[in-house]
Amino acid sequence: MSQYLILIYEDESGYANASQDVWKEILEGHNAFGEKNADAIAGGNALQPTSTATTLRSDGAGGFSVTDGPFVETKEALGGYYLIEAADLDEAISIAKQVPARFGGLEVRPIMVFS
Amino acid sequence: MRATLDSNEAAAAVADAHRREWGFVLSSTVRVTRDLDIAEECVQDAYAQALTTWRERGVPAKPGAWLTTVARRRALDLLRRDSVLRRALPLLIEDEAEPEVQPGDDFPDERLRLICTCCHPALGQEAQIALTLRLLCGLSTAEVARAFLVSEPTMAARLTRAKKKIATARIPYRVPSAAELPERLDAVLGVVHLLFTTGHTAPAGTDLVRLDLVERSLDLARMLYALVPESSDVAGLLALILVTDARRATRVSDSGQLLRLADQDRSQWDASAITEGTALVRRALRTRPPGRYALQAAIAAVHAEAPTWDATDWDEIVALYDVLTMIWPSPVVALNRAAAVGFARGPAAGIAELDALGDEPQLAGYGYLPAARAEFLHRLGRVDEARLAYQEALLLTENEVERQFLADRLAALEL
């Protein structure tokens, strides 16, 4: 088995403008995903929107500049993740396909193993 | 087995086995090594050994099985000797824990595993094509680089990156499940089709046809048809390649000029390829709804079966394009359909259809659109507009043979 991180990238305005019903649907979707894949899921979280993000950039001289906002400004921002266990990429993809992400999509990345 | 060969005969036999058996031998050796690079090395060694052994003892009855036995034995030796190497490798993922090592020379055909891994959707299409040429067809990195018109180091880096992704992201070495197979096969067929179209009319350069690519695509389509004969998409693609490539000898004149379908010597078309292809088309069209390759092959077959250009059944071709547009709504298909309408119902109707595609962003920069308009405008005697359209087409065309054709058509306007 291997671990993969499923990164959820979506347009934040989708959530900002979503009705209560849509929110409910999405939360139920995540609950259903969690129950169905309980054995595979090793962790996961939703993130607050990028307006709450703080970015630290190395100044190359041992210090950091601290600024407001996400590290990269993109239309679709990282909004949450699941850490999962899967036998191979095909299995990881089939799990990722079940993650609710109607305002964007998902990225699947293998976790690096240090031996 | 036949007794000793001279070195030319042995080299020819090995070259032939390279062309026919590389994918079979490699795919089977990967089952032992579970590492693509080591498998490639072992297969390379097996071919090198064949060169001497076959000269001394003749060509074995089953060259593929002989090569597989040698390559797998070499792989087992290598891995046994170097267990450290074994442990350090991120092994390819398979469904069985241990590959079966059978006595004798009856190896199962593992090429479907290999091509599904090479054409996994998690790899970019350029990488898919490069891996397929390298691993299934056995092209050297230099040859693959030439096929893509890129430098050898660039191609070597691309292949390394792709193999690294297969290992670290754990793309499995496995035939997809029955549920997944159609979608995965679609990606495989896309690679083979792209290989064929790139070879059939090279996007740039001095030759119209890149024969090496066309022949590899035909080999791959035949291989897939042998592996998955029940798929009508596979049958359709094989038919499309056969029937289209049957015209190869007549597409360029002796002096290197492009000959249109109307001007080709139909008696020189490859009749056996057309017969084989049309039989496959009929089979493939029985599936409902018919697939895109089957429909494209059917269109090519209507041309192939017309004894002369004037006898072409354009209504049938338009009808086939109508169905194709429904299942495969691509701008290029719409363009071909518009041209067919022009031949079926007259140049004015053709221009009306072509003009309706003028706003299609995917066709902006596509030289065949102004070239088709120019032809119909020319037929209608609208010379000034035809001149502009030919000039536009010339600006958008990079294949030298096609450019010369357009320049000649432009010159003919002034006569």
Side-chain angles (χ1 to χ4, degrees):
Chain A
M1 294 300 268
S2 250
Q3 286 198 320
Y4 294 86
L5 193 65
I6 300 174
L7 300 123
I8 306 169
Y9 282 93
E10 288 180 289
D11 188 340
E12 293 182 334
S13 65
Y15 288 95
N17 302 325
S19 68
Q20 291 240 322
D21 286 349
V22 169
W23 269 101
K24 192 163 158 268
E25 236 177 82
I26 293 170
L27 287 176
E28 282 169 359
H30 280 282
N31 287 339
F33 169 79
E35 276 167 33
K36 189 167 168 222
N37 297 285
D39 291 345
I41 296 172
N45 276 300
L47 303 180
Q48 293 285 356
T50 51
S51 57
T52 66
T54 304
T55 292
L56 288 76
R57 232 171 243 277
S58 165
D59 63 8
F64 287 95
S65 74
V66 179
T67 50
D68 173 47
F71 198 83
V72 190
E73 288 280 2
T74 47
K75 187 168 166 288
E76 282 145 336
L78 181 64
Y81 67 88
Y82 284 104
L83 180 64
I84 60 155
E85 303 257 0
D88 55 54
L89 184 62
D90 282 351
E91 192 183 321
I93 288 173
S94 76
I95 292 172
K97 279 179 177 169
Q98 304 167 44
V99 175
R102 64 174 76 189
F103 304 119
L106 305 145
E107 178 177 325
V108 177
R109 288 273 285 275
I111 299 288
M112 200 185 278
V113 181
F114 296 93
S115 47
Chain B
M1 285 223 187
R2 189 150 77 74
T4 56
L5 306 175
D6 69 36
S7 53
N8 282 341
E9 284 174 315
V14 172
D16 187 59
H18 192 279
R19 167 88 187 272
R20 288 174 200 281
E21 309 282 3
W22 179 277
F24 181 90
V25 180
L26 181 72
S27 61
S28 186
T29 307
V30 173
R31 292 300 306 278
V32 180
T33 63
R34 294 178 65 189
D35 176 89
L36 293 169
D37 287 326
I38 295 180
E40 281 187 280
E41 262 180 61
C42 295
V43 174
Q44 203 76 61
D45 289 350
Y47 277 93
Q49 192 178 321
L51 215 47
T52 39
T53 308
W54 294 6
R55 196 169 56 213
E56 286 159 15
R57 296 188 223 154
V59 180
K62 291 184 184 170
W66 187 94
L67 288 157
T68 306
T69 308
V70 174
R72 286 173 69 131
R73 196 182 297 144
R74 172 112 186 84
L76 287 170
D77 283 352
L78 204 68
L79 296 170
R80 209 171 290 135
R81 213 174 317 139
D82 205 342
S83 56
V84 183
L85 177 76
R86 180 76 157 156
R87 268 199 307 277
L89 289 171
L91 296 179
L92 286 172
I93 309 308
E94 298 181 338
D95 24 23
E96 296 90 338
E98 283 297 318
E100 76 286 21
V101 182
Q102 298 151 314
D105 58 4
D106 238 1
F107 299 102
D109 195 331
E110 309 281 12
R111 288 175 300 177
L112 195 55
R113 263 179 216 264
L114 185 57
I115 199 164
C116 284
T117 303
C118 290
C119 299
H120 195 281
L123 299 165
Q125 197 176 38
E126 284 191 339
Q128 294 176 15
I129 300 176
L131 283 172
T132 302
L133 286 174
R134 179 94 180 84
L135 301 180
L136 269 305
C137 303
L139 265 61
S140 68
T141 303
E143 288 170 318
V144 182
R146 238 184 347 265
F148 281 93
L149 311 171
V150 300
S151 74
E152 197 178 331
T154 303
M155 183 50 68
R158 189 182 294 172
L159 284 163
T160 304
R161 227 175 10 249
K163 286 180 189 162
K164 187 158 183 245
K165 176 154 186 189
I166 292 173
T168 52
R170 296 166 68 100
I171 291 176
Y173 190 61
R174 176 197 297 147
V175 175
S177 66
E180 285 174 308
L181 191 60
E183 196 185 326
R184 295 287 304 278
L185 211 46
D186 215 40
V188 173
L189 294 174
V191 161
V192 179
H193 182 243
L194 190 60
L195 210 51
F196 172 69
T197 52
T198 307
H200 184 68
T201 303
T206 52
D207 293 325
L208 181 67
V209 180
R210 299 277 314 278
L211 204 51
D212 48 344
L213 298 185
V214 170
E215 292 191 335
R216 297 305 178 170
S217 68
L218 183 55
D219 288 347
L220 288 166
R222 278 197 192 287
M223 176 194 92
L224 288 169
Y225 186 62
L227 295 172
V228 202
E230 66 279 9
S231 160
S232 59
D233 288 331
V234 171
L237 180 59
L238 176 57
L240 175 62
I241 294 175
L242 281 167
V243 178
T244 311
D245 188 47
R247 305 198 287 259
R248 185 201 298 164
T250 64
R251 291 173 61 223
V252 178
S253 72
D254 294 340
S255 51
Q257 277 148 338
L258 182 73
L259 292 175
R260 289 172 302 174
L261 210 44
D263 304 324
Q264 294 174 11
D265 175 1
R266 292 175 183 232
S267 69
Q268 296 299 306
W269 287 356
D270 182 344
S272 72
I274 291 172
T275 308
E276 187 186 355
T278 45
L280 285 164
V281 173
R282 281 195 199 95
R283 242 209 77 223
L285 282 179
R286 268 183 239 138
T287 306
R288 294 281 166 239
R292 57 176 284 222
Y293 298 121
L295 285 164
Q296 285 175 282
I299 292 163
V302 174
H303 284 299
E305 286 177 331
T308 62
W309 169 257
D310 290 330
T312 307
D313 187 348
W314 288 106
D315 290 329
E316 173 71 16
I317 289 177
V318 172
L320 286 165
Y321 271 121
D322 285 340
V323 184
L324 184 56
T325 318
M326 273 189 287
I327 62 147
W328 186 254
S330 102
V332 174
V333 170
L335 170 58
N336 289 329
R337 186 191 160 277
V341 168
F343 291 115
R345 298 169 203 161
I351 289 174
E353 295 278 342
L354 289 170
D355 286 347
L357 300 172
D359 299 333
E360 182 55 63
Q362 279 189 48
L363 291 178
Y366 193 64
Y368 293 129
L369 177 57
R373 280 191 79 240
E375 281 301 313
F376 291 137
L377 289 166
H378 188 181
R379 279 163 199 249
L380 288 172
R382 289 157 66 177
V383 175
D384 291 342
E385 291 165 86
R387 187 181 301 117
L388 280 174
Y390 276 127
Q391 284 162 349
E392 191 189 342
L394 265 169
L395 284 174
L396 299 172
T397 303
E398 285 181 51
N399 183 286
E400 280 309 320
V401 178
E402 290 186 319
R403 287 184 59 80
Q404 189 55 50
F405 171 79
L406 291 167
D408 291 345
R409 299 295 294 164
L410 185 58
L413 277 182
E414 314 302 337
L415 297 177

